[in-house]
Amino acid sequence: MGYRRVVVKLGTSVLTSGSKKLDKAHMVELARQMASLMRSGVEVVLCTSGAIAAGREHLHYPVLPDTMANKQLLAAVGQSQLILAWSQLFSIYGLHVGQLLLTRADLQDRERYLNARDTLNALLAHNIIPIINENDAVATNEIKVGDNDNLSARAALLCDADLLILLTDQKGLFDADPRTHPEAQLIKQVVNIDDSLRLLAGGSVSGLGTGGMATKLEAADVARRAGIEVVIASGHHPDVIARVAARESVGTHFSAIENPLESRKQWILAGPASQGKLVIDAGASVAVVANGRSLLSKGIIDVEGHFERGATLLIVNQIGKILAKGISRYCANDLIKISGKHSDDIESLLGYNYGDAVVHRNDMVVLDN
């Protein structure tokens, strides 16, 4: 069965071909491939980097101090140039585009998350290509997703895609760094992302973008948990988008998890930034990871961070390994008081009770494989 909806993420190094300016000749070729995919009945969402590079080019490469304000200046100028370029290129093939500029704030609020999803679906329903980028002109470090690899994974969840294509300056994921090990072999298929695989991830060759292979692995892990296949490939491989969509062996393919997360858990995984950590003991680790149970107060060893009830937290074991991510029913001060205590004691300790579970299994995504 063919793919129904595809998200294509283009890194800065792909759009500039390693130079200091947008490579319009290559961009039109990529637009041609996406237009061809749409003509075949596949819906396409484009997540594009390149705003800051476009801003520098448009302003004739000004020498500016490396501050957040100046980066936002370049993004503000470049974003309009980038969307103009894509609009002109897709118009060659009779296609319209619509722009969505997002920050983490748009993803962590459930209502705004659903509004963004509705906008994406409306554009696709009218045969308009959504073009997504982070809103760098206004985003601060606190509300940034941080890189377009992870943003594209969240876009794939938003629009319920079944394939995410991450195009970069590498042919895919290798078993060693190909820049320093010429004998390195391409890993063609990944079924499970584990710590040994993460150790293989390096930075981008060009230095032009914000994401390296590590962020692509993070993005692949988010997407595949939602039942989305992922391919990391070279943006300059001939006819790469069409070949990946045709299931040819190009780049590194990540299998989707067979039992994808339901909608609310996808939002927990993709949207809210973690505001604290709960360190749990071995028994609670088994209950949460192996048995699919809720987290109870008795299994909590330590509480890290200052947060209110309803905050999204990371759940880690005693050596710091991340086991799960979920929404807390209690604030940090409450959890400090009830950690290690039996659920039956919560009301006597606090004077009230929001339930036996500190993090209910319906509000939790298990991350440990």
Side-chain angles (χ1 to χ4, degrees), residues 51-349:
I52 291 177
R56 284 198 181 99
E57 178 184 354
H58 189 67
L59 296 177
H60 306 292
Y61 311 102
V63 178
L64 300 171
D66 188 23
T67 65
M68 174 65 78
N70 285 328
K71 289 179 181 178
Q72 291 177 320
L73 175 157
L74 293 170
V77 172
Q79 194 59 246
S80 60
Q81 297 302 309
L82 185 63
I83 196 67
L84 176 62
W86 282 122
S87 180
Q88 292 172 337
L89 295 176
F90 279 112
S91 70
I92 296 172
Y93 304 100
L95 292 170
H96 295 290
V97 303
Q99 185 178 38
L100 274 79
L101 296 176
L102 300 173
T103 67
R104 185 180 286 279
D106 299 307
L107 301 175
Q108 65 188 14
D109 180 86
R110 179 67 172 164
E111 184 175 357
R112 288 166 71 173
Y113 179 93
L114 294 174
N115 286 339
R117 187 186 68 178
D118 290 344
T119 302
L120 268 173
N121 286 330
L123 289 167
L124 291 167
H126 289 84
N127 205 40
I128 298 170
I129 296 180
I131 297 184
I132 297 175
N133 201 348
E134 182 135 35
N135 197 354
D136 290 319
V138 300
T140 61
N141 286 333
E142 289 75 21
I143 64 170
K144 285 176 71 66
V145 174
D147 62 86
N148 277 344
D149 294 320
N150 276 290
L151 183 63
S152 67
R154 284 149 175 81
L157 268 65
L158 265 178
C159 70
D160 191 27
D162 42 21
L163 174 64
L164 169 62
I165 305 175
L166 301 171
L167 296 182
T168 183
D169 51 11
Q170 290 286 315
K171 293 180 180 179
L173 181 65
F174 286 79
D175 60 7
D177 190 338
R179 295 167 291 180
T180 55
H181 296 78
E183 73 284 359
Q185 297 295 309
L186 178 69
I187 300 172
K188 294 185 177 181
Q189 183 70 39
V190 173
V191 176
N192 183 39
I193 296 176
D194 55 21
D195 290 342
S196 63
L197 196 65
R198 293 185 182 96
L199 288 174
L200 298 175
S204 71
V205 170
S206 66
L208 294 168
T210 57
M213 197 58 71
T215 63
K216 289 170 180 60
L217 276 187
E218 291 172 10
D221 203 24
V222 168
R224 61 192 291 273
R225 290 179 187 277
I228 301 167
E229 294 178 46
V230 182
V231 173
I232 300 174
S234 168
H236 287 84
H237 188 94
D239 220 17
V240 59
I241 296 172
R243 291 184 174 185
V244 170
R247 300 182 187 273
E248 292 186 25
S249 181
V250 179
T252 301
H253 177 270
F254 295 79
S255 303
I257 290 179
E258 289 186 4
N259 298 309
L261 302 171
E262 45 91 0
S263 178
R264 177 170 169 78
K265 290 193 176 184
Q266 289 185 18
W267 170 71
I268 293 171
L269 181 64
S274 301
Q275 296 172 256
K277 288 182 182 179
L278 300 179
V279 182
I280 64 176
D281 63 24
S285 298
V286 172
V288 167
V289 175
N291 299 331
R293 301 285 181 82
S294 300
L295 175 61
L296 305 181
S297 54
K298 187 170 179 59
I300 300 173
I301 297 172
D302 192 20
V303 179
E304 298 180 14
H306 301 282
F307 51 84
E308 298 301 319
R309 180 173 184 255
T312 301
L313 308 177
L314 291 178
I315 300 169
V316 305
N317 64 14
Q318 290 167 275
I319 60 171
K321 184 176 182 179
I322 297 173
L323 305 178
K325 182 179 180 182
I327 297 174
S328 176
R329 291 184 169 184
Y330 294 88
C331 69
N333 288 336
D334 287 350
L335 288 176
I336 290 171
K337 295 174 184 176
I338 66 175
S339 61
K341 305 295 193 299
H342 197 280
S343 300
D344 292 342
D345 299 329
I346 291 177
E347 188 159 1
S348 62
L349 290 167

Side-chain angles (χ1 to χ4, degrees), residues 11-21 23 169 205-208 236:
T12 300
S13 59
V14 174
L15 298 177
T16 61
S17 298
S19 69
K20 291 185 177 180
K21 62 181 182 179
D23 182 353
D169 51 11
V205 170
S206 66
L208 294 168
H236 287 84

